Amino acid sequence: MSKVKNVCIVDDDELFQFVMRQHFERLDLVERIHKFTDGEQALNYIKSHLEHPDELPDLILLDVNMPYMDGWQFMTEFVQLQLPAGKHIRVYILTSSTHESDLQKARQFPTLSGYLVKPIGKNMIREILVGAEQH
């Protein structure tokens, strides 16, 4: 299995970011990991790299509940972006929320690759990365 080039972790919980980075590094399946503490930071990164598809993420792990710009606000703007031809970014909601209202919101974004409830382990990360590699 080859490495996924770019992964973005968008979560305001720095401990969660640290744990996820550790999982990715132990699996040795990702070249670069970008960490953002709110949706706006991640969105700005993506917008600033639209002209450079190799710098865009292949996979985004997105928390729902964050200050400033939450995951739903991020998704609302993300789906309007014009990605370069042939570029596909897989987005997974990764949250501790099991509220039915959040599951309903997730269904409003057919581009989401999945809705995962924290915590997730290395096996789930491996499955996500295999899916990202296939696109």
Side-chain angles (χ1 to χ4, degrees):
M1 184 167 134
S2 61
K3 290 187 178 186
V4 173
K5 193 161 190 159
N6 291 301
V7 172
C8 288
I9 302 170
V10 187
D11 197 307
D12 61 320
D13 182 343
E14 292 183 23
L15 177 60
F16 175 77
Q17 286 187 0
F18 175 79
V19 170
M20 291 303 292
R21 179 183 269 291
Q22 292 295 311
H23 284 322
F24 282 122
E25 288 175 354
R26 286 187 184 117
L27 288 169
D28 194 30
L29 297 174
V30 175
E31 288 183 24
R32 278 183 251 137
I33 300 168
H34 305 277
K35 299 182 300 181
F36 303 99
T37 55
D38 74 61
E40 185 181 50
Q41 292 173 350
L43 198 61
N44 287 340
Y45 174 84
I46 293 167
K47 287 178 179 177
S48 69
H49 290 85
L50 287 173
E51 303 282 324
H52 308 282
D54 285 347
E55 297 296 319
L56 290 172
D58 301 297
L59 172 66
I60 298 173
L61 301 179
L62 179 66
D63 187 24
V64 171
N65 298 311
M66 295 178 285
Y68 199 67
M69 179 183 273
D70 68 20
W72 304 126
Q73 293 166 317
F74 171 90
M75 284 304 299
T76 299
E77 292 198 32
F78 176 78
V79 297
Q80 296 178 31
L81 294 177
Q82 295 294 318
L83 296 176
K87 181 64 181 181
H88 180 72
I89 301 175
R90 293 172 52 94
V91 181
Y92 283 86
I93 294 292
L94 191 58
T95 182
S96 55
S97 173
T98 57
H99 293 112
E100 183 60 31
S101 62
D102 283 333
L103 293 169
Q104 291 292 336
K105 282 184 187 176
R107 290 183 190 109
Q108 295 174 11
F109 297 100
T111 56
L112 281 175
S113 297
Y115 186 99
L116 305 171
V117 178
K118 295 177 189 176
I120 66 167
K122 285 191 288 188
N123 289 338
M124 179 60 70
I125 292 169
R126 183 178 281 114
E127 286 180 37
I128 291 168
L129 291 173
V130 167
E133 182 186 42
Q134 294 171 354
H135 281 87

